[in-house]
Amino acid sequence: MSQDLETAARAAAAALNAGRGTAADCNTLGWYRALSGDAAGAAALFERALRMNPREVEAMLGLAGLHRSAGRLRDAALQCDAALAVAPDHAEVWLERAYVMAAGGVMDEAKRCYRAVLACSSPPAMTRAAADAGLAAIAARDGEAEAGRHHARAALAGDPGNTAALAALATIELEAGEPQTARDLVEPALARMEAPSPERMELLHALGDACNRLRDPAAAHAAYARAKQDFAAIHAATFAGRPPHRAFIGGIADALAAADVSAWPGIAPPASPPHIFVLGYPRSGNTLLENVLASLPGTAAIEEMPTLREADLAFLAEPAGLARFAQLDDAALATYRTAYWQRSGQALGRDPAGLALVDMDPLKSIRLPLIARLFPTARILLVRRDPRDVVWSCFRTSFALSNAAMDFTTLEGAARHYDALMRLTELALAKLPMAVLEVPYHRMVQDFDAMTREVCAFAGLAWSEDLRRFDRTARERGVSTASARQVRRGLFDGTRQWEPYAAYLEPVMPILAPWIEKLGYAS
């Protein structure tokens, strides 16, 4: 924190205490409090500034940043939009909005916002560099090496220490088959970074990926572990006092075990065109299967969107909700079906009527009771993968902030989260009327045509060779999940990636062993 800001903050505090402070004084002291780690104090000051002047852009910007840091992305976006309504050429607000969109995985909109920064009349040099770095990161994620290098170099020209640009360049080098170059890019920068930060976390993930490609599992594990420790430290205040996400899943399992579903209707004939859910567990191949199906004409796919939000809030957010849901008649359920289709249309940007809808979200497995009752005609594709690969991949992957992501900050947390969701899934399969096909990941990547023919026959889709061009589909429609780079490569066999890290997985094997056996991966 600069000495100038400290001096300005003292002057602002004196003016406010004397009763002669302005909205600008509130902003100054608010930014000082925010940078000091006092989020609540900063928010109070920014809100005070807005009471003095409802058009105070700096206060809206400050609140947007605080909301984003706390994971309240909708509130952050609303503050950005309010600020842009007042100052449409405000580069820092466009940058903040880009960060919000990127945090939510809405990469096309993030890209638009970064470009808006560069289009502003005279953005500050550091703000321009940050926007170039953001564009470099998206280009690297999308496999656009030339654009990524261009924006990364522009960012580093304006800000030689820009870690996002360095991470983007490292990713591009990894994609080009140069892991040692990537490692050499990030290690010097990491040596200068002493405290946990999103920037250090990003570089640590890049270092882990480079070391993994160099077949240095000890260094890779150390980098991933440090990155996860940084993630946990950065978001510790947000999740303080909350039970882990796996406890929430366990509560739903308990409620489902006690629910009376005897009056629920049985499995209905499939809809035409079909309605398909792609579920399972993160890092199991869900994004791959989604893009395979999205390659068929007349198919529309939704990627990890809260399409069941109204039903979630009504029936899963409180202990007695699922019991109440189990007793509702069909007329009472209509409201939640309507809300689902409205949200699906919003996610697609068009009316889903007449389209084969693919709703992909591995953590919607938590919502299997809702899906079974609300959509008896739906077909459920349950993607399965070796639990060791799944848990290791969840640990090594950089996820956006979510309740589940906090469980993935340790291998034990990831293993226990996996166990909780598998228990709920098995209970749902045994108890609920659902049309389900299990789709083993290894069969998708090792016997693609046979597995996809089986999927299409089950789901009510006509198989065609278009399915083989899913990599083109992924590039054209964009992928915002953590699997983006893998799906763009085409058919990639990611089985047995856990093996170099077997020693690190050994402590969690008692948790995973029953699932390894049950799913047929013991041999």
Side-chain angles (χ1 to χ4, degrees), residues 278-352:
V278 176
L279 311 179
Y281 196 83
R283 311 300 295 158
S284 292
N286 305 80
T287 301
L288 169 60
L289 182 55
E290 174 211 359
N291 280 277
V292 167
L293 297 178
S295 301
L296 291 173
T299 300
I302 298 172
E303 180 183 273
E304 295 187 2
M305 296 296 286
T307 48
L308 286 163
R309 180 172 175 77
E310 283 72 18
D312 279 354
L313 293 174
F315 306 117
L316 298 186
E318 55 182 84
L322 197 55
R324 185 163 49 84
F325 174 75
Q327 302 305 313
L328 294 180
D329 60 22
D330 203 60
L333 298 173
T335 297
Y336 301 99
R337 292 192 182 104
T338 299
Y340 172 87
W341 290 112
Q342 287 175 342
R343 284 191 175 271
S344 296
Q346 291 167 2
L348 291 172
R350 54 180 166 157
D351 188 347

Side-chain angles (χ1 to χ4, degrees), residues 8 55 137 190 267 411 417 452 459 475 521:
R55 295 171 61 83
L190 283 167
I267 300 169
L411 279 169
H417 188 277
T452 54
R475 286 192 295 272
Y521 292 102

Side-chain angles (χ1 to χ4, degrees), residues 89-92 116-128:
D89 196 44
H90 199 298
E92 286 87 351
V117 173
L118 301 181
C120 287
S121 55
S122 55
M126 295 295 279
T127 302
R128 174 178 282 276

